[in-house]
């Protein structure tokens, strides 16, 4: 099993527990994995986002033979119908299919399409790709990933973050999040960037022990809820919101 950032990444597996009492167990390092490319900034994704309000509508339009998956031929034909003035090379279309085709089947099913082009909850691979900054945990006894950056992935949920208890720095900016409640399970969090989302409340999760910096700019916050529980907070960015009330 790959080490990710939670208990396994901290090196608390069975081997560490079975070490002789008089011999210090070696610290296990989290496993590095090559980051998977995304379609962020691709012309295919940009064109689809400009012409469809919902990703599932785009999928249904491209899936011309209604078999529940998209081939490169279907993608090319659909893009011509959507906007014939924009030309795409074979390499560009092949890259889009290859990146979205998570199971390597050669085509893109509805789940894979939503993951690549539409709003979805963060999945294990996306979190693993965003982990960085390996260091010692708060007790100084283990090694784990301390930072996670998963911006601009069309995320509408981050429930899996509950398993990454040692995170200290988190970037979930430029997504589609309306709730950050899973962050209440990250007791060692020091900074969070949740700018450019769809949040309506400020720091509405169980307070970490020492949260110091929070960026909630460019959201949909209309009222500032009580923040007294976040007693170590030093910097809070609420610019470009719709604030009308301070509780």
């Amino acid at each position: 099993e790959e080490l990710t950032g939670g208990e396994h990444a901290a090196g608390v597996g069975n081997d560490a527990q079975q070490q002789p009492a008089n011999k210090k167990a070696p610290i296990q390092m989290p496993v590095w994995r090559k980051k998977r490319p995304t379609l962020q900034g691709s012309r295919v994704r940009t064109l689809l986002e400009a012409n469809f309000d919902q990703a599932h509508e785009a999928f249904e339009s491209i899936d011309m033979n209604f078999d529940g998956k998209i081939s490169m031929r279907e993608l090319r034909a659909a893009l011509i119908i959507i906007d014939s003035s924009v030309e795409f090379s074979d390499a560009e279309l092949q890259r889009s299919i290859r990146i979205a085709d998570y199971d390597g089947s050669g085509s893109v099913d509805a789940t894979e399409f939503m993951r690549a082009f539409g709003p979805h909850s963060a999945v294990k691979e996306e979190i693993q790709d965003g982990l960085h900054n390996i260091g010692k945990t708060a007790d100084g006894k283990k090694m784990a990933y301390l930072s996670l950056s998963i911006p601009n992935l069309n995320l509408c949920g981050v429930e899996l973050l509950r398993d990454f208890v040692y995170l200290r720095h988190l970037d979930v900016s430029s997504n589609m999040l309306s709730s950050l409640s899973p962050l209440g399970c990250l007791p060692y969090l020091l900074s969070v960037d949740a700018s450019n989302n769809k949040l309506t409340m400020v720091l509405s999760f169980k307070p970490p022990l020492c949260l110091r910096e929070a960026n909630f700019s460019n959201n949909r916050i209309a009222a500032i809820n009580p923040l007294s529980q976040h007693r170590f907070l030093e910097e809070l960015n609420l610019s470009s919101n719709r604030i009308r009330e301070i509780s």
Side-chain angles (χ1 to χ4, degrees):
E1 182 176 355
E2 284 187 328
L3 304 178
T4 58
E7 290 296 324
H8 290 290
V12 292
N14 292 332
D15 292 341
Q17 295 175 355
Q18 295 174 0
Q19 292 289 332
N22 60 348
K23 187 175 181 180
K24 186 177 180 180
I27 293 179
Q28 296 183 15
M29 293 291 290
V31 173
W32 178 87
R33 66 192 298 274
K34 185 177 180 180
K35 185 174 181 178
R36 183 185 179 90
T38 71
L39 291 172
Q40 177 181 340
S42 76
R43 294 200 309 148
V44 173
R45 176 170 157 178
T46 300
L47 184 62
L48 293 179
E49 289 177 343
N51 286 272
F52 294 95
D53 293 330
Q54 301 291 334
H56 68 85
E57 295 175 354
F59 180 84
E60 292 171 357
S61 297
I62 301 172
D63 181 21
M64 296 180 177
N65 62 0
F66 307 106
D67 65 349
K69 54 188 178 182
I70 293 173
S71 65
M72 195 180 95
R73 176 180 292 182
E74 287 176 310
L75 180 60
R76 176 183 291 283
L79 293 176
I80 292 175
I81 294 173
I82 293 170
D83 191 342
S84 60
S85 67
V86 182
E87 296 183 2
F88 294 92
S89 66
D90 286 346
E92 199 169 6
L93 297 180
Q94 288 171 353
R95 180 177 183 274
S96 295
I97 293 291
R98 185 177 66 254
I99 292 176
D101 179 21
Y102 287 87
D103 63 7
S105 65
S107 58
V108 179
D109 62 29
T111 299
E112 291 173 328
F113 188 86
M114 290 300 295
R115 185 167 157 186
F117 294 97
H120 62 284
S121 292
V123 296
K124 177 182 176 182
E125 292 80 7
E126 289 173 322
I127 293 178
Q128 288 177 326
D129 287 345
L131 290 168
H132 57 101
N133 186 23
I134 297 174
K136 289 187 177 181
T137 55
D139 58 13
K141 298 180 180 179
K142 308 167 185 176
M143 300 295 289
Y145 284 104
L146 305 180
S147 301
L148 173 63
S149 298
I150 45 176
N152 203 18
L153 293 177
N154 277 343
L155 300 179
C156 61
V158 288
E159 289 76 14
L160 286 183
L161 291 187
R162 300 177 188 274
D163 298 330
F164 296 81
V165 297
Y166 298 114
L167 287 176
R168 297 182 189 176
H169 306 283
L170 175 64
D171 180 0
V172 291
S173 61
S174 301
N175 282 294
M176 305 180 72
L177 299 171
S178 59
S179 172
L180 292 178
S181 58
L183 273 59
C185 298
L186 308 180
Y188 307 111
L189 197 62
L190 297 177
S191 68
V192 56
D193 184 351
S195 58
N196 294 288
N197 276 282
K198 297 183 177 181
L199 300 168
T200 58
M201 299 186 69
V202 184
L203 299 174
S204 57
F205 49 87
K206 181 180 178 182
L209 297 174
C210 297
L211 182 65
R212 296 177 181 175
E213 299 178 13
N215 185 350
F216 278 65
S217 61
N218 289 287
N219 275 281
R220 301 179 178 180
I221 300 167
I224 301 179
N225 42 291
L227 301 174
S228 58
Q229 290 182 308
H230 297 275
R231 53 198 181 97
F232 292 101
L233 191 63
E234 298 175 356
E235 181 178 333
L236 175 61
N237 187 344
L238 295 175
S239 61
S240 300
N241 276 287
R242 309 171 182 176
I243 298 173
R244 299 176 181 173
E245 178 183 347
I246 300 178
S247 302

